[in-house]
Amino acid sequence: MSKLSRRSVLRGSIGLAAIGTLSRPFIANAANKTASVWWTQGFVPEEEASFRAMVAEYEKTSGNKIDVSIIPFAPIRQKIISALTSGDVPDVMSNYNAGLTIVPQNAWNDKLVDLTDVVDTQKSQYHPTALLASRYYNNVTKTRSLYYVPTATIVAPLHVWRSLVEKAGYKMSDAPKTWDAFWDFFKPMQKRLRDKGMRGVYALGLQPTTAGPTDGNALFHHFLIAYGGSRIVTGDGAPHLDDPQVKEAVIKALTYITAAFKEGYVPPGALSWNDADDNNAFHAKQLVVDLDYTISTELALYHKKEEYDDILTLGLPLDNAGQPIASQLGVAGAFIPKGAKNVEVAKDFLKYVIQPAVVNQYLKGGLGRALPAMPDLVKNDPFWLDPHDPHRAAYARQGMLEPTAPLYPIFNPGYAEADSQQVWGIAAADVIREGMTPQAAAEKALKRMSDILAKYPIAAS
């Protein structure tokens, strides 16, 4: 595990201040108080080391203390839910997908502290999509506000084994630029690779899973948007499930994903994959191409240079009409539950974390697995667009410099409930296992979605 010294943190801060991206808010000395913080364990050990270095620097700067609990990804989600249910809460909570799974309903139920004053300290620095993705509807106040402090962002790039493509006799430079043609490009490679002895290889890492929690939903939504269904729920929280274009996009997405599965281009086990299973299959070279959030797929091999360099990281293709597709921008962040005992210190800590130089150094220390939520950091720090790294630059461009959009649970908390029930994964399973047509499965899924969203009426503003 690598560690960042105080000197290295300060050196990074000074470097960014010199190029004008640092606007440092006042860090209060809150009478040497302590705040309790639950933070998600990094996917690579460098992330945890970088976070601990940042906490140590805050304690030196502020005189306050941070009681940190770093908890693995799956257990922290259950721990957060239990704490919010019981009311016995820490001062700060953070989980990579909390903005999709926990914050929407708890903001709706008025269980979170409004963090507008925290976010406003860096409002001018934030990417517009990151700001939009931090605003949630409160059903008690009947308004939207900032209940989530963005600390990082993520998008879903494509991950391709360059050596498998070449072994099959193809070149990635010949890959089509539009959505269906791009995915179809990999299908013939499967037979060629199997003919060369790779019996367990599959062309596509699609995830028509009902297990969740997030990857299957993410895959479906990328296909939905590529087929023109982006307005399934709009920024005002209103669903548009009867929109003919949305219905057509749902049907097309189910058709492509399930046909690829039934034609044998997707591993049979994908029907019950969890979020780690596609990564494991990709690392075992059972998949030629995979679509998955972050570059954790690549960073898992960071210390195996030959394999690390063999993976090609790509942004999204164009849609079938040749137009750019907006990547759904996931926002990682932190929130403060009502009932927290040390809100003043909690806010002070978060104000410190989101200073551009501080958060940039923290994310760089984590090898860039998560991106900043601030475009200027990507533009002005050579680390993010380094042409010598085969993955980071493509990932950073996709997340901060190319078109993005928030994920749907931000707009309406009912969508978070629908995602947790794996509505789209069940629809794919209805086609694959039950023999339903994509049209019938789409109608069933849209009806279920309508019933769920009807529980979350949002007042027009």
Side-chain angles (χ1 to χ4, degrees):
M1 180 182 296
S2 66
K3 296 203 178 281
L4 292 174
S5 66
R6 180 171 184 240
R7 180 177 299 172
S8 68
V9 173
L10 292 175
R11 184 166 58 243
S13 300
I14 292 167
L16 279 172
I19 58 176
T21 63
L22 175 60
S23 176
R24 185 181 179 90
F26 175 70
I27 301 297
N29 186 326
N32 297 316
K33 293 181 179 178
T34 298
S36 56
V37 174
W38 292 358
W39 209 263
T40 307
Q41 185 180 58
F43 280 68
V44 293
E46 287 84 356
E47 287 183 90
E48 182 177 332
S50 187
F51 177 72
R52 290 191 182 278
M54 179 174 65
V55 169
E57 190 63 29
Y58 169 75
E59 291 179 331
K60 294 174 185 176
T61 302
S62 68
N64 300 323
K65 298 296 181 184
I66 300 298
D67 180 11
V68 174
S69 296
I70 295 180
I71 307 164
F73 176 75
I76 194 173
R77 183 171 181 270
Q78 294 305 317
K79 189 174 177 69
I80 288 173
I81 292 171
S82 296
L84 289 168
T85 301
S86 69
D88 184 11
V89 295
D91 299 307
V92 176
M93 295 171 162
S94 179
N95 180 247
Y96 292 129
N97 63 7
L100 308 178
T101 59
I102 296 170
V103 175
Q105 274 91 359
N106 284 282
W108 172 272
N109 291 318
D110 196 31
K111 290 187 174 183
L112 304 181
V113 174
D114 190 314
L115 298 175
T116 300
D117 58 332
V118 176
V119 176
D120 277 355
T121 63
Q122 301 298 337
K123 187 174 182 179
S124 65
Q125 299 288 336
Y126 276 121
H127 192 293
T129 304
L131 279 177
L132 188 60
S134 301
R135 295 179 60 84
Y136 294 84
Y137 188 80
N138 184 321
N139 194 44
V140 175
T141 65
K142 306 299 182 185
T143 59
R144 288 187 182 272
S145 195
L146 291 158
Y147 293 100
Y148 198 48
V149 177
T151 57
T153 61
I154 59 174
V155 286
L158 290 144
H159 316 273
V160 181
W161 281 115
R162 192 193 317 264
S163 60
L164 294 187
V165 172
E166 293 173 353
K167 186 173 182 178
Y170 290 80
K171 295 183 295 183
M172 280 305 301
S173 58
D174 294 332
K177 305 301 182 185
T178 55
W179 188 259
D180 282 1
F182 178 85
W183 289 101
D184 289 345
F185 174 68
F186 296 94
K187 290 179 178 178
M189 298 180 196
Q190 180 171 305
K191 182 178 187 305
R192 291 200 181 187
L193 290 169
R194 290 186 177 187
D195 288 345
K196 293 186 177 186
M198 297 188 68
R199 299 296 181 190
V201 73
Y202 292 85
L204 309 179
L206 305 184
Q207 302 156 52
T209 177
T210 58
T214 56
D215 281 1
N217 291 321
L219 177 86
F220 178 85
H221 290 131
H222 280 82
F223 273 83
L224 177 75
I225 293 169
Y227 292 138
S230 63
R231 284 179 50 81
I232 189 168
V233 174
T234 46
D236 57 0
H240 302 276
L241 307 178
D242 292 329
D243 185 322
Q245 186 173 350
V246 169
K247 285 186 174 183
E248 182 182 9
V250 170
I251 293 167
K252 285 182 175 179
L254 287 173
T255 298
Y256 193 97
I257 294 168
T258 59
F261 182 92
K262 291 192 288 186
E263 291 164 4
Y265 294 113
V266 178
L271 279 175
S272 58
W273 272 355
N274 64 35
D275 286 357
D277 287 331
D278 64 311
N279 300 65
N280 294 333
F282 186 86
H283 289 149
K285 293 193 173 179
Q286 294 173 357
L287 307 173
V288 181
V289 59
D290 190 29
L291 176 69
D292 197 16
Y293 268 96
T294 82
I295 53 171
S296 57
T297 297
E298 291 82 355
L299 290 176
L301 303 173
Y302 183 73
H303 299 291
K304 298 179 180 179
K305 181 171 175 55
E306 184 176 347
E307 291 180 274
Y308 182 76
D309 291 348
D310 186 24
I311 302 173
L312 184 64
T313 303
L314 301 171
L316 300 181
L318 304 172
D319 67 17
N320 289 333
Q323 298 302 309
I325 296 171
S327 296
Q328 287 203 301
L329 188 75
V331 175
F335 58 98
I336 299 175
K338 288 190 172 180
K341 297 177 178 62
N342 297 291
V343 173
E344 180 188 3
V345 183
K347 286 187 173 184
D348 191 65
F349 173 65
L350 292 177
K351 288 177 183 178
Y352 178 83
V353 169
I354 63 173
Q355 293 176 96
V358 173
V359 74
N360 189 55
Q361 192 68 19
Y362 161 52
L363 297 173
K364 286 167 61 175
L367 304 182
R369 191 189 70 83
L371 298 168
M374 302 171 177
D376 280 351
L377 295 179
V378 168
K379 294 174 184 176
N380 295 322
D381 187 333
F383 172 86
W384 295 106
L385 299 177
D386 182 2
H388 298 103
D389 184 275
H391 313 296
R392 195 185 308 125
Y395 178 48
R397 283 193 296 270
Q398 181 185 352
M400 281 290 102
L401 306 181
E402 295 174 358
T404 56
L407 288 89
Y408 297 115
I410 311 300
F411 300 150
N412 189 309
Y415 212 102
E417 181 178 333
D419 278 352
S420 71
Q421 294 186 22
Q422 301 297 314
V423 168
W424 304 120
I426 290 171
D430 282 340
V431 177
I432 294 167
R433 290 175 173 162
E434 306 301 327
M436 292 177 66
T437 65
Q439 291 80 2
E443 288 290 341
K444 177 184 171 185
L446 289 167
K447 174 62 167 62
R448 180 60 185 145
M449 182 73 69
S450 178
D451 291 343
I452 294 171
L453 293 176
K455 297 188 295 182
Y456 298 88
I458 293 179
S461 61

